[in-house]
Structure formats: C-alpha cells, structure tokens
Amino acid sequence: MSAPVGPSATTVTPASTASRRNAELGLLVFALAVALAAFATLGLGVDGAVPARIGSYAAGFGGLLLVAHLALRRFAPYADPVLLPAVALLNGIGLVMIYRLDIAEAASAERAGRPAPAPDALSQITWTALGVVLFVAVLVLVRDHRGLQRFTYTAMAAGLVLLLLPLVPGLGTRIFGAQIWIRVGPFSFQPGEVAKIALTIFFAGYLVLKRDVLALARRRVLGVDLPRMRDLGPIVVVWLVCLGILVFERDLGTAVLFFGSFVMLLYVATERRSWLILGTLMVLAGGWLAYQAFAHVRTRIDIWLDPFADPQGAGFQLVQGLYGLAAGGLLGSGLGQGRPDLIPVAKTDFIVDALGEELGLTGLMALLLLYGIVVERGLRTAIAARDSFGTLLAAGLSFILAIQVFVVVGGVTRLIPLTGLTTPFLSYGGSSLVANWALVALLLRISDAARRPAPPPVPETQEALTQVVRR
C-alpha cells in the first residue's frame, strides 16, 4: 500500500542560504588593511616614514570598496562573498606597486638630470573608480544573466567589430609592435579587453544551442572519440580568427586567450576530451605555420628559446625581468628597496617581475594564490548555476582570467613565449582594469542566482494529481 501523496510527503524544503554580506565586509576591511600596510611599508622603505598620502589613499580606495559592497547588498545579496575582496586586494596591491614605480622612475630621472615623468598612480585610481562604476552599472542593468542569451549573435558581432577596430586606418595605433590599441584624441583604448567578454557571451550562448550536435562522435582513433568533420566548423572559424589576430595585429596573447577559452568551453559543454586534443593540435599547427610565415613570430620564439643571445637588443625586456626575479629571491628585497625601474614596461607587461623583485617568490606565490581563489570561486559558481547558459558563461569568464594570468606569468618567467597581455587588476591600464571589474560583476550576478534560496515548492494536493480521462 503506497503512502498518500500530499504536503506532508514533500522532500524538498526551501534552502536557508545566508547572504554572507557581513563576512564579505570583514574580508574587504582585511584587504584594505593589507593594501594600506603595503603602502606604509613602501614609504618606510623609500623615505623612512609613512607616506603622508596614506589617509587620502585609505579614504579613496576604501570608499570605492564600500560602494561596491553596498551595491552587492542592494542588487545581488546572495552573491559569492569572497570574489570581491580577492579582486579588491589584487587591485590595491597593483595601485601600491604602480606608485612604487612612479617613485623609482622619478628617482632615475633625477639621477640622469631629466624631468620626472608624469605619475601614473593617480590615473590608475581614477580607472579603478570607473571600474567600480561599471561594476555597479552591470549589477543594476543585468538583473538576470539569462537575458544575455538573447544577445548571443549581437555579442559575436560586437566582439568581432571591437577586435577589428585597431586595424582601421587612422584609428588604430601600434605600440611595441602590437596593433591592439585605438586612439581618439588624447584617449587610447584597448578594445580587445571588452571583446573578450562579448565573445565569451557568444561562446556560451552558441554552445548551449549546439552542444548536443557537437557532442556526437562517429569515429574512434587511438581510444579518442573524434567529432564528425562537418561539426568542426565552429572551432575552425575561431581558429582562423585567432590566426588573423596573430598575423595582422601581432598579438599572440589575445589569440591564445580567445582560442584557449573557446576550446575549454567546448570541453565543458560536451565533456569530450577529443576537443582538447584537437585544440592542442590546432594551436601547435597554427604556431608552426605562423613561425614559418611571419618574421615577428619567429622573433618571439627565438627570444623565448635564447633571450641571452641578444641581451641588449631583442631579449632586453625578458632578460631584465629575469634578473629582477633573481634579485628578489625567496623573500624579496622589500617594498621600496629594489630597482624595478630597470625592468622595461614594468607597470604593464612586466609588473609581475617588479613585484617578484620586491616581494620575492613568497609574495608572488601569494598573489597567484589570490588569482587561484578568484578562478576557483568562478568555477564553483559555474557548477552551482541552475541553468546551462549560466554554467557556461561563468566557466568561460573564469577561464578567461585563468588563461590570461597563465599567459602573462608564463611569458615573463620564460615558461612560454612572451606575449603582450596585462596582468588582471595589477597592471597599469584603464581598458584592462575597467573590463575586468565588469567581468567580476557578471560572475557575481551569476553566483547571486546560483546561491539564492529556491522558491518554496507549490504544495501538491491529491486533487491536482488526479486526472480524469474521458473516452
């Protein structure tokens, strides 16, 4: 005899998930305290006194973090409580290091009898403020991440247009050999930083619709299920687009970033290892073709293989960065005690080496651990998401951050060829910083939906389960 079905038989109860906003506030205070301690240590190391600007730094940066926290309390109360403090700490350390490099550059200019260059720390905190404004705007405007799926192909078009903008004559500008910037009047902008978010939305929306087709496998070779040839179209198109970026814009990092994130999303959507193997083979094939055909790719590879072959010329940047890391050793020289100004473009591409010199391997590992926490919380959000689009979008945004950090750190430590990407939240630059704040806001929006308590189930009544069948 079966038990009666009614309200008492309900096995699913509403979850009582805490919002954890107070925990987030505590972690934000900790992040601000660490950044202020680093700022004070820098002043003691350079001038022997705590910087006079520490009060304004605390008020400005702390006020921005408070705005971001209050926005989460209001618009995404169940969002992940760890993501915002982690990126806030990275942003705070980046501000301190850029200020440190400002001081070093001014001292170098004074020794050489040149005028001191304009400081960049104030610009960076202005970009941080714009990033927080965009962070709040995303939370306000994107109330439900599932609505972004309606703009799948619009996001694709926007992403491609943004990628092509640097190639427009009179608009694009070439810096250090890479044509990835556009300049409008006194302002410059790197559209690829926004394109990575738009294309991730496209990849996620496309794979939600096509993953069943892409998961089909008809041929098994050496124990690996290979997809059908007619299903290879999307990955071939993305591969060709990335080769175009590599050839025309000379931007190895962005090409690796887009292709790597798309292949990882394919794997998440289909759970087929064959896509990872195919992606790796296509990266190797594309790299070999580019090496054979284009001189700038051969130069990058040659520098990677033997940077000391021309330490004062082509290999100068990488060699100086490696010397900086070696000088830092295990514990570093201490903030304000090293010579990070000897590393070229230390505020952007080589800020990891500058931090490694003054914080040592220990400090560098702590920063990488912070990135690991951000990526882990993003992937945890992907697993907890209640819809396929949210899962793929959160995974894609997390992969974007993980691949970018890997490419940058791998490049400056000579693990892989050097690229022109910036380190998220640490490097100087408005495009990267503002885009990454928007990326984190999307992750928090998805985590809010994933952690929000489910609505109470509708009580089932005996009458609702009774069906009358008429013949």
Side-chain angles (χ1 to χ4, degrees), residues 252-462:
L252 177 62
T254 302
V256 172
L257 185 66
F258 287 143
F259 191 72
S261 61
F262 182 63
V263 171
M264 292 301 293
L265 272 184
L266 265 175
Y267 173 67
V268 171
T270 63
E271 297 182 2
R272 294 281 182 188
R273 288 177 298 172
S274 54
W275 289 113
L276 296 179
I277 297 172
L278 276 173
T280 303
L281 293 176
M282 293 175 82
V283 166
L284 295 176
W288 183 81
L289 288 174
Y291 181 81
Q292 297 296 326
F294 305 104
H296 66 277
V297 178
R298 282 197 296 276
T299 302
R300 287 291 181 96
I301 300 295
D302 292 343
I303 293 171
W304 170 51
L305 293 176
D306 188 7
F308 294 93
D310 187 12
Q312 297 298 321
F316 183 69
Q317 287 182 329
L318 186 55
V319 168
Q320 290 296 103
L322 293 175
Y323 279 143
L325 287 175
L330 185 62
L331 299 177
S333 59
L335 279 170
Q337 300 295 309
R339 287 298 306 276
D341 53 306
L342 298 179
I343 303 172
V345 290
K347 291 178 183 174
T348 53
D349 297 9
F350 282 80
I351 198 167
V352 169
D353 287 349
L355 286 162
E357 180 180 353
E358 299 215 325
L359 300 181
L361 180 64
T362 307
L364 209 52
M365 288 299 107
L367 292 174
L368 293 179
L369 181 62
L370 273 177
Y371 282 115
I373 289 173
V374 173
V375 173
E376 188 270 340
R377 302 302 290 197
L379 293 177
R380 182 189 289 262
T381 297
I383 293 172
R386 296 167 183 168
D387 61 293
S388 300
F389 179 72
T391 295
L392 291 176
L393 183 57
L397 296 173
S398 304
F399 288 141
I400 284 279
L401 277 176
I403 294 173
Q404 189 163 348
V405 172
F406 170 76
V407 167
V408 172
V409 177
V412 299
T413 56
R414 209 183 149 213
L415 179 64
I416 60 174
L418 193 62
T419 66
L421 291 178
T422 56
T423 314
F425 298 105
L426 285 178
S427 295
Y428 172 75
S431 313
S432 172
L433 190 59
V434 172
N436 283 319
W437 271 103
L439 185 153
V440 170
L442 283 177
L443 273 179
L444 287 166
R445 169 55 67 206
I446 300 170
S447 73
D448 175 62
R451 297 180 73 250
R452 188 178 289 273
V458 178
E460 295 178 347
T461 62
Q462 190 67 36

